[in-house]
Amino acid sequence: MSITTPAGMQVRLGKLPARTDVRTLRLARYVDLAKLPPPPPDLDLAAAVPEWPMYGNDRIGDCTTAAAAHMIEAWTAPAQGAPVELSERAVLAAFEKVRRVDPVTGAEGAVELDVLAYWRRHGIGGHRIAAFAHVPAWDHHLVRAAAFLFGGLYIRLQL
């Protein structure tokens, strides 16, 4: 069952400050944009997903694992004809493995790098990624190419 958030509803974001790791692959080292066809001007994998569940993000700060579940929906919809909607239980179980609690504020959240590593090693809702790589936000050509090649980008965004 899909649940959407009414306009104006307060939700918990849960994104903690970024952490980097020198071992993270850098996509620019592996992709030669001159040898690739240009990405299409528009790419909307989300169009095949009629509703986006909250995956608990309206109650706790699990936006990082909810985002991963949303990517799985966006990837599976065009590939299988319908999106695979993970159970909230599976998304919250993954969040429980990577969550951190701020000792001062008590706010819960997760670091994207931890989520990506967990997703690769263990999977979220039975779906694993094979790898992940850093794409510099300032390189718009590489950002567009990566979004096209890999069906989206898992990005940090503070609203």
Side-chain angles (χ1 to χ4, degrees), residues 40-49 52 74 78 151:
D42 297 312
L43 174 67
D44 187 4
L45 296 178
V49 181
W52 300 95

Side-chain angles (χ1 to χ4, degrees), residues 63-126:
C63 66
T64 50
T65 52
H70 289 141
M71 291 183 81
I72 292 164
E73 288 181 83
W75 291 331
T76 57
Q80 298 181 9
V84 171
E85 187 175 307
L86 303 185
S87 70
E88 183 174 290
R89 173 184 245 161
V91 176
L92 294 178
F95 178 66
E96 188 60 33
K97 296 293 186 181
V98 295
R99 90 179 165 94
R100 296 173 183 248
V101 179
D102 184 313
V104 176
T105 66
E108 292 183 323
V111 176
E112 291 87 352
L113 186 60
D114 294 343
V115 174
L116 289 166
Y118 182 85
W119 193 3
R120 183 180 61 79
R121 288 186 194 113
H122 306 285
I124 298 176

